[in-house]
């Protein structure tokens, strides 16, 4: 059996009904991992599950608002009822900042909404998963993977998007702290960081003619990454091969993003 055979494993993916999240779900299911997709839109959830039909891993979806602890608990309970366990939690749900408004004009509502969706959403999903994983570890079954989707903005910053950058930097810090705290339970925590990826999050940037004409020529991109590029790292992180790989940030794109 291959070390990357994930048969019997179960992964939760928040925001797994499109873009990067769906790319990870497809790769995990193809490797035999059972997948539970949590998303707000029931129709997109249904379409995502249908796209996984025929894969070795089973797939299901639950309508879930990751900013609501009760909604997260309900989705976790339903997942455990279906599969009996959760081995990995990929916290991918979130929103972008748009980059259109100066910091001095930022409203408190905008700031709090960004944190509620991007940071609180990771907190609720990770906490629900970690509670189950640590309980299982105490019963002699230590294994867990916590993976958050971060952003280049967390490292380089971004003008007119400081609230988004702040949430992603906080996620990186959370991952490193959890890696230390949960290591004794054989639970790892890592972040994956999209570089130049074609997705709904970058559609606005790539559709800006001035950005394409003036900025893109100065970026040494070999090719734009695709959501499917996240599949390989998702499978690796869910496998036993990554047991000692924790507190890390994986930069994934199709170009030469480096720092």
């Amino acid at each position: 059996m291959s070390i990357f055979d994930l048969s019997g494993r179960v992964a939760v993916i928040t925001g797994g009904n499109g873009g990067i999240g769906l790319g990870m779900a497809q790769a995990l299911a193809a490797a035999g991992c059972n997948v539970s997709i949590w998303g707000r839109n029931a129709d997109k959830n249904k379409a995502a599950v249908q796209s996984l039909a025929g894969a070795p891993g089973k797939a299901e979806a639950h309508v879930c608002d990751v900013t609501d602890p009760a909604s997260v608990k309900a989705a976790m309970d339903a997942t455990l009822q279906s599969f009996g366990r959760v081995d990995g939690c990929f916290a991918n749900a979130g929103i972008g900042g748009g980059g259109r408004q100066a910091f001095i004009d930022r409203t408190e509502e905008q700031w709090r909404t960004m944190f509620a969706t991007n940071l609180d959403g990771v907190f609720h999903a990770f906490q629900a998963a970690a509670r189950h994983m640590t309980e299982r570890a105490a019963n002699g079954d230590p294994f867990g993977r916590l993976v958050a989707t971060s952003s280049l903005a967390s490292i380089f910053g971004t003008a007119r998007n400081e609230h988004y950058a702040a949430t992603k930097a906080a996620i990186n810090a959370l991952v490193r702290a959890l890696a230390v705290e949960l290591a004794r339970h054989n639970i790892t925590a890592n972040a994956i960081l999209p570089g130049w990826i074609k997705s709904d999050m970058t559609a606005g940037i790539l559709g800006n003619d001035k950005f394409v004409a003036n900025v893109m020529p100065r970026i040494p991109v070999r090719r734009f990454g695709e959501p499917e590029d996240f599949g390989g790292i998702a499978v690796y992180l869910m496998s036993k091969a990554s047991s000692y790989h924790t507190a890390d940030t994986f930069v994934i794109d199709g170009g030469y993003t480096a720092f």
Side-chain angles (χ1 to χ4, degrees), residues 56-79:
K58 297 179 181 179
E60 66 176 25
H62 302 284
V63 174
C64 179
D65 177 0
V66 294
T67 68
D68 179 4
S71 182
V72 169
K73 183 180 184 304
M76 177 60 75
D77 289 346
T79 300

Side-chain angles (χ1 to χ4, degrees), residues 57-220:
K58 297 179 181 179
E60 66 176 25
H62 302 284
V63 174
C64 179
D65 177 0
V66 294
T67 68
D68 179 4
S71 182
V72 169
K73 183 180 184 304
M76 177 60 75
D77 289 346
T79 300
L80 292 174
Q81 184 174 2
S82 295
F83 296 117
R85 62 187 292 127
V86 167
D87 300 288
C89 179
F90 291 77
N92 178 67
I95 56 176
R100 299 184 181 90
Q101 191 171 31
F103 173 65
I104 58 175
D105 297 322
R106 181 76 57 212
T107 66
E108 183 174 353
E109 181 181 0
Q110 290 171 329
W111 179 267
R112 293 190 180 280
T113 298
M114 180 65 69
F115 270 76
T117 305
N118 287 359
L119 187 55
D120 292 358
V122 174
F123 166 74
H124 295 314
F126 273 7
Q127 187 177 62
R131 282 173 173 164
H132 165 72
M133 293 171 184
T134 53
E135 181 179 347
R136 216 180 57 238
N139 292 321
D141 184 11
F143 183 94
R145 302 289 187 262
L146 301 177
V147 184
T149 301
S150 185
S151 167
L152 284 174
S154 68
I155 298 172
F156 298 116
T158 174
R160 296 177 179 268
N161 219 356
E162 78 298 325
H163 56 335
Y164 174 75
T167 62
K168 294 301 183 177
I171 286 172
N172 293 348
L174 173 64
V175 161
R176 290 191 292 271
L178 291 178
V180 175
E181 179 177 343
L182 300 175
R184 64 192 180 93
H185 301 292
N186 194 28
I187 299 171
T188 64
N190 292 285
I192 51 177
L193 193 156
W196 291 102
I197 299 288
K198 288 181 180 178
S199 72
D200 51 353
M201 296 285 281
T202 56
I205 297 175
L206 301 180
N208 185 315
D209 293 339
K210 290 184 178 179
F211 180 88
V212 172
N214 300 323
V215 179
M216 284 303 301
R218 301 199 296 272
I219 301 174

